Amino acid sequence: MLTLSVGAESTDARWAGEGLIALSEGRFRFEVGETQPPAEIEVGTVIGLGGEGAENTVSETVGGSIGAAGQRCWMNPHAPVGYFTDTISVEEALRVTGAVVESLRGEIKQARMIDPALDTFEVELMPSATQPEDEFVDRPDRVWGDRWILGRLGGPIAVELTGEGALRSLEFEFGPYEPYSLFGQQHSVDHVSISARFAPADTALELDPPACQAIE
């Protein structure tokens, strides 16, 4: 189970949510909660079918423009899901979080313990963690994309472990970041912060495609 909180300082835009995530497969099912300020368009459920690229992410709706009343549908919006929150999009936040976890396995440049009682560390990654910057590059040794964001980290990553040595939480910030703009009015956000918390899930992640799909 992944719980994620995201904020952008310069716009004071925030969102949070939780869902199941399969880190080794690049797949997730994530339910977005409240946004601040309230989003004009409901974000809803975001589903990751693979760890790289917009074409591997769909939004799930019930009813709406592509399905019958009450029918569950998957739609690929061909744009970051959550752009209207004026901060990092939902799938980009999930993919860069996955990229950090993936890089912790063998690309730690240095780590410093900051709280022995809580098993908390400040971690700096090797430059190789940012590669490949193109999220659509298919490389067998990478599951998660959006690694260009790791080249804009604003400091070390705070990593908290459980007593058994498993990953409990991550906190990091980066910038500048340019939120996706539907109408082409691009602007830059100075700092984006991400707080991720991991916990074992009672159920397995199952992505059962519905009969109604609008995916190209």
Side-chain angles (χ1 to χ4, degrees):
M1 175 70 71
L2 169 66
T3 303
L4 203 63
S5 299
V6 172
E9 295 179 8
S10 55
T11 61
D12 199 29
R14 307 189 182 283
W15 60 264
E18 66 178 18
L20 296 175
I21 181 170
L23 287 168
S24 63
E25 301 172 10
R27 293 158 68 84
F28 55 82
R29 181 185 183 90
F30 193 81
E31 305 287 342
V32 181
E34 295 183 1
T35 62
Q36 181 63 41
E40 296 180 6
I41 305 173
E42 184 179 353
V43 180
T45 305
V46 181
I47 293 173
L49 306 174
E52 292 192 4
E55 298 302 314
N56 288 320
T57 305
V58 298
S59 59
E60 182 176 80
T61 62
V62 177
S65 60
I66 64 171
Q71 185 179 25
R72 184 169 66 99
C73 296
W74 279 3
M75 178 182 68
N76 188 326
H78 298 284
V81 178
Y83 61 84
F84 35 79
T85 60
D86 207 22
T87 182
I88 188 171
S89 68
V90 177
E91 68 267 45
E92 284 174 315
L94 282 154
R95 287 202 296 261
V96 72
T97 298
V100 169
V101 176
E102 195 171 46
S103 298
L104 289 176
R105 296 170 182 167
E107 293 178 290
I108 295 178
K109 181 178 180 180
Q110 60 182 9
R112 181 176 71 89
M113 180 172 285
I114 56 177
D115 192 336
L118 297 177
D119 287 331
T120 305
F121 301 81
E122 285 186 342
V123 174
E124 183 180 349
L125 298 176
M126 297 178 180
S128 60
T130 67
Q131 302 298 320
E133 290 192 357
D134 186 346
E135 63 180 350
F136 296 101
V137 174
D138 183 16
R139 285 180 41 164
D141 58 337
R142 294 295 199 207
V143 174
W144 295 94
D146 282 313
R147 289 179 168 272
W148 64 269
I149 293 175
L150 299 181
R152 300 187 182 182
L153 292 178
I157 301 165
V159 178
E160 181 184 0
L161 304 178
T162 66
E164 294 75 30
L167 180 62
R168 173 175 286 160
S169 69
L170 297 172
E171 290 187 7
F172 56 98
E173 64 177 40
F174 59 90
Y177 172 80
E178 294 183 354
Y180 178 84
S181 175
L182 180 64
F183 304 106
Q185 299 175 346
Q186 205 69 32
H187 65 284
S188 180
V189 174
D190 292 337
H191 293 93
V192 173
S193 61
I194 293 180
S195 177
R197 193 164 188 86
F198 302 87
D202 296 329
T203 58
L205 173 63
E206 295 183 2
L207 300 181
D208 181 25
C212 174
Q213 298 184 65
I215 305 173
E216 298 177 7

